[in-house]
Amino acid sequence: MGRIMPVYLVQRQLEYAQKRAAYYGRTDRPVSTTRVAQPRTLVGYKPLFYKVGTAFPLLKFQASEASVNYFTLAGLGLTQTAADIDTANDPPRGFKPSLVKLMEGTATPTVAASPVSGRRVIKYSAGTAGTAQAHYQAPISAGAADTTPTIDEVKAKVAAIKTAKASVIGTYGRLYFIPEKDHGSFA
């Protein structure tokens, strides 16, 4: 048998739901009229688990320009030379490259209220006023010239990024590594 939820929790959920409904029902709620440019750039990526014959081909992906500049091409093991991009293959359908994600932390988290439901939220990321950015995500590879890439080489690159960005990660920041994935589109 399941546990019966206390009445005060049900009432709190009802209150949040009513506030959410009232917020989304308003026609005068604030709407951003400006678009923040998120330019993307083509990069060459060497896969770990995808082969054509016996070779690991260079694949081209679009990546956030700000993230690539933040981590550096060499730090990510990517290439942007015109010759490499022209000869690179398109990735197979369903293929996801290895990713490194970073959130710059703040020294002191801030407590705020959600504008939608009024719930208390704690913000652990660094301030992002104006054009400042605190979240970065980019593909990471063993290296474009590597003929036999391994997961250990990629993990070494992630460890180097962690060491280089330790001061901005701080106590509350995050660094994630997500290995590449195939969602069954090729055998």
Side-chain angles (χ1 to χ4, degrees):
M1 236 170 132
R3 190 179 136 225
I4 298 173
M5 187 179 282
V7 173
Y8 74 92
L9 284 179
V10 175
Q11 288 172 334
R12 187 181 303 163
Q13 287 180 348
L14 174 64
E15 177 186 334
Y16 291 147
Q18 288 171 334
K19 286 182 180 180
R20 238 184 352 263
Y23 180 83
Y24 287 119
R26 287 178 28 202
T27 57
D28 65 332
R29 72 173 186 249
V31 177
S32 177
T33 57
T34 59
R35 299 249 325 144
V36 177
Q38 297 284 333
R40 302 189 64 77
T41 184
L42 280 175
V43 293
Y45 170 87
K46 185 69 79 153
L48 293 171
F49 306 120
Y50 175 68
K51 284 185 176 181
V52 174
T54 58
F56 294 92
L58 191 67
L59 303 177
K60 60 182 164 189
F61 284 96
Q62 285 191 358
S64 163
E65 200 171 280
S67 294
V68 170
N69 292 337
Y70 183 78
F71 292 122
T72 72
L73 280 171
L76 293 168
L78 304 174
T79 182
Q80 267 191 324
T81 61
D84 287 341
I85 297 297
D86 288 342
T87 60
N89 299 332
D90 288 327
R93 184 176 56 229
F95 183 84
K96 305 285 185 202
S98 297
L99 294 174
V100 63
K101 294 183 175 189
L102 184 136
M103 178 188 83
E104 290 182 352
T106 182
T108 55
T110 57
V111 178
S114 168
V116 178
S117 66
R119 288 180 197 223
R120 182 181 150 221
V121 292
I122 301 174
K123 296 184 179 187
Y124 293 100
S125 64
T128 57
T131 59
Q133 186 172 336
H135 298 266
Y136 299 91
Q137 169 182 313
I140 187 165
S141 171
D146 197 344
T147 55
T148 56
T150 65
I151 191 76
D152 292 331
E153 293 170 335
V154 177
K155 285 183 178 179
K157 288 196 180 290
V158 172
I161 289 172
K162 182 178 181 181
T163 302
K165 302 294 182 183
S167 63
V168 295
I169 293 173
T171 307
Y172 295 106
R174 306 281 187 271
L175 179 73
Y176 299 100
F177 168 65
I178 302 170
E180 71 184 38
K181 298 175 186 167
D182 163 32
H183 293 285
S185 62
F186 55 91

